[in-house]
Amino acid sequence: MSAVKRTILKFVQTKTSYPMCWIRHLSVNMKATPNDEKDKNKQTHFGFETVNEEEKWKKVHEVFETVAEKYDVMNDAMSLGIHRIWKDIFIHRLAPTHGTKLLDVAGGTGDISFRYINYLKNLGPSPENKQSSVTICDINQSMLDVGKLRAQRQGYTKESCGIDIEWMCGDAENLSLPDDSFTAYTIAFGIRNCTHLDKVLEEAYRVLAPGGRFMCLEFSQLPNSTMQWLYDQYSFQVIPVLGHLIAGQWKPYQYLVESIRQFPDQEKFKGMIEDAGFRQVTYENLTFGVVSIHSGFKI
């Protein structure tokens, strides 16, 4: 019996309250072949630390379990509120129309989806035959719980806005969704936490219908070396301290800063999106390149 299978059985026997998407992620490996067993020992980065790929998944999961309740407060503190502007621009670049079927991945707290709903509401009444929808997918149930609570408090329900809203615990690298089922796919500040970027992009391509659009908002690299140095000083010297003062956590925010530095630069990520099959791939730098918006189409 594999170590993974023994672990899952232990969860069941001890009635540990792990979210089902966590169990499903582990259960995929129960059918592992000898080559798959070797793959588990492949190494990747967790921030600046080198870890096994399976270990990274667990560590990232723990990070977001830890910071979920303070996630939005910390975003305001770390970016001085500018993340709100970045996300507003992101949705305006997407420019959804009535009838859009959006999959928002790594969107647990609802920041992007709520902006999408507001954008559609501002377009005016939807034609009867144009039903819009959003599926909010996140691998971390704690982040989804925060988003659901926000949705209830702020009135983001189908009854109040007329848009189908579904919350889904799932893995961006292995989505439990049919092919060609969405017209738009967004992922904001989430893809750098995934182990296999190529698998995330391939899954995005698979679930998008022909003509569908992929959009990613992510921290990036500043083209100016002096500004990059200043940004690094702020990131490494200030952000972990803010995490400790506001959220009572240092290490998760140290990881978040390190993960930004490990993420491919704008041109390299553009090439990865093209390798996944997307066409008309472009990117736009915001705030001197602190973040960038990548866009591509399934044609």
Side-chain angles (χ1 to χ4, degrees), residues 101 177-183 203-211 298:
K101 298 185 182 302
L177 295 166
D179 297 355
D180 305 333
S181 49
F182 296 91
T183 60
E203 279 291 88
Y205 188 87
R206 180 183 67 80
V207 301
L208 278 171
K298 179 176 179 177

Side-chain angles (χ1 to χ4, degrees), residues 228-293:
Q228 181 67 54
W229 182 85
L230 291 171
Y231 178 49
D232 284 344
Q233 300 311 301
Y234 171 76
S235 298
F236 286 99
Q237 303 301 323
V238 177
I239 289 178
V241 175
L242 289 175
H244 180 70
L245 293 175
I246 296 173
Q249 300 288 338
W250 179 292
K251 288 186 178 180
Y253 293 97
Q254 182 72 27
Y255 157 72
L256 292 176
V257 171
E258 293 176 359
S259 70
I260 293 169
R261 296 303 171 271
Q262 295 283 40
F263 192 70
D265 64 27
Q266 291 90 319
E267 280 293 329
K268 186 174 181 180
F269 188 48
K270 176 177 180 284
M272 295 178 73
I273 297 170
E274 291 171 334
D275 289 343
F278 290 100
R279 295 295 175 260
Q280 298 180 11
V281 180
T282 60
Y283 66 84
E284 174 186 1
N285 287 333
L286 304 179
T287 315
F288 310 108
V290 171
V291 302
S292 62
I293 296 173

Side-chain angles (χ1 to χ4, degrees), residues 210-228:
R213 188 177 187 183
F214 167 86
M215 288 191 66
C216 175
L217 175 65
E218 189 53 88
F219 288 106
S220 211
Q221 308 297 324
L222 281 70
N224 182 288
S225 59
T226 300
M227 295 189 70
Q228 181 67 54

Side-chain angles (χ1 to χ4, degrees), residues 5-274:
K5 189 171 183 179
R6 286 196 299 271
T7 301
I8 294 173
L9 289 175
K10 182 180 178 182
F11 288 156
V12 174
Q13 291 164 357
T14 58
K15 299 181 180 179
T16 305
S17 58
Y18 283 79
M20 285 308 298
C21 57
W22 205 93
I23 304 295
R24 286 196 298 270
H25 175 85
L26 290 177
S27 66
V28 168
N29 295 311
M30 291 176 66
K31 302 177 181 178
T33 65
N35 286 336
D36 292 331
E37 292 294 333
K38 292 179 182 179
D39 289 343
K40 290 180 190 177
N41 294 322
K42 286 184 178 179
Q43 294 190 316
T44 187
H45 59 81
F46 175 75
F48 291 159
E49 182 183 354
T50 300
V51 298
N52 290 340
E53 290 184 349
E54 187 66 23
E55 186 181 0
K56 174 176 178 174
W57 191 93
K58 295 173 185 174
K59 283 178 172 287
V60 170
H61 188 272
E62 289 170 359
V63 164
F64 287 94
E65 283 281 317
T66 301
V67 304
E69 291 186 3
K70 295 285 186 179
Y71 186 75
D72 292 319
V73 174
M74 275 302 301
N75 280 344
D76 281 330
M78 290 188 299
S79 70
L80 305 177
I82 298 174
H83 77 100
R84 297 174 182 269
I85 298 173
W86 295 334
K87 292 168 183 173
D88 288 342
I89 294 172
F90 185 58
I91 286 297
H92 278 80
R93 295 293 184 269
L94 176 63
T97 58
H98 291 305
T100 296
K101 298 185 182 302
L102 172 65
L103 174 62
D104 181 29
V105 175
T109 61
D111 263 10
I112 299 302
S113 296
F114 299 162
R115 284 171 168 79
Y116 161 78
I117 292 169
N118 289 338
Y119 190 96
L120 291 179
K121 288 170 68 176
N122 289 334
L123 294 178
S126 172
E128 290 184 8
N129 62 339
K130 295 284 187 180
Q131 180 60 49
S132 305
S133 68
V134 57
T135 299
I136 303 159
C137 176
D138 202 294
I139 202 166
N140 192 289
Q141 187 62 50
S142 293
M143 299 290 279
L144 289 167
D145 291 342
V146 170
K148 289 179 182 179
L149 185 59
R150 289 182 62 198
Q152 291 172 1
R153 289 176 175 173
Q154 299 176 27
Y156 290 106
T157 63
K158 180 178 181 180
E159 293 72 25
S160 63
C161 61
I163 295 170
D164 290 333
I165 304 171
E166 180 181 355
W167 301 84
M168 169 185 166
C169 195
D171 185 351
E173 297 183 15
N174 185 26
L175 295 167
S176 312
L177 295 166
D179 297 355
D180 305 333
S181 49
F182 296 91
T183 60
Y185 175 115
T186 55
I187 183 166
F189 303 120
I191 197 168
R192 75 179 188 281
N193 298 307
C194 299
T195 303
H196 305 100
L197 301 186
D198 55 341
K199 290 184 180 179
V200 176
L201 294 170
E202 288 166 5
E203 279 291 88
Y205 188 87
R206 180 183 67 80
V207 301
L208 278 171
R213 188 177 187 183
F214 167 86
M215 288 191 66
C216 175
L217 175 65
E218 189 53 88
F219 288 106
S220 211
Q221 308 297 324
L222 281 70
N224 182 288
S225 59
T226 300
M227 295 189 70
Q228 181 67 54
W229 182 85
L230 291 171
Y231 178 49
D232 284 344
Q233 300 311 301
Y234 171 76
S235 298
F236 286 99
Q237 303 301 323
V238 177
I239 289 178
V241 175
L242 289 175
H244 180 70
L245 293 175
I246 296 173
Q249 300 288 338
W250 179 292
K251 288 186 178 180
Y253 293 97
Q254 182 72 27
Y255 157 72
L256 292 176
V257 171
E258 293 176 359
S259 70
I260 293 169
R261 296 303 171 271
Q262 295 283 40
F263 192 70
D265 64 27
Q266 291 90 319
E267 280 293 329
K268 186 174 181 180
F269 188 48
K270 176 177 180 284
M272 295 178 73
I273 297 170
E274 291 171 334

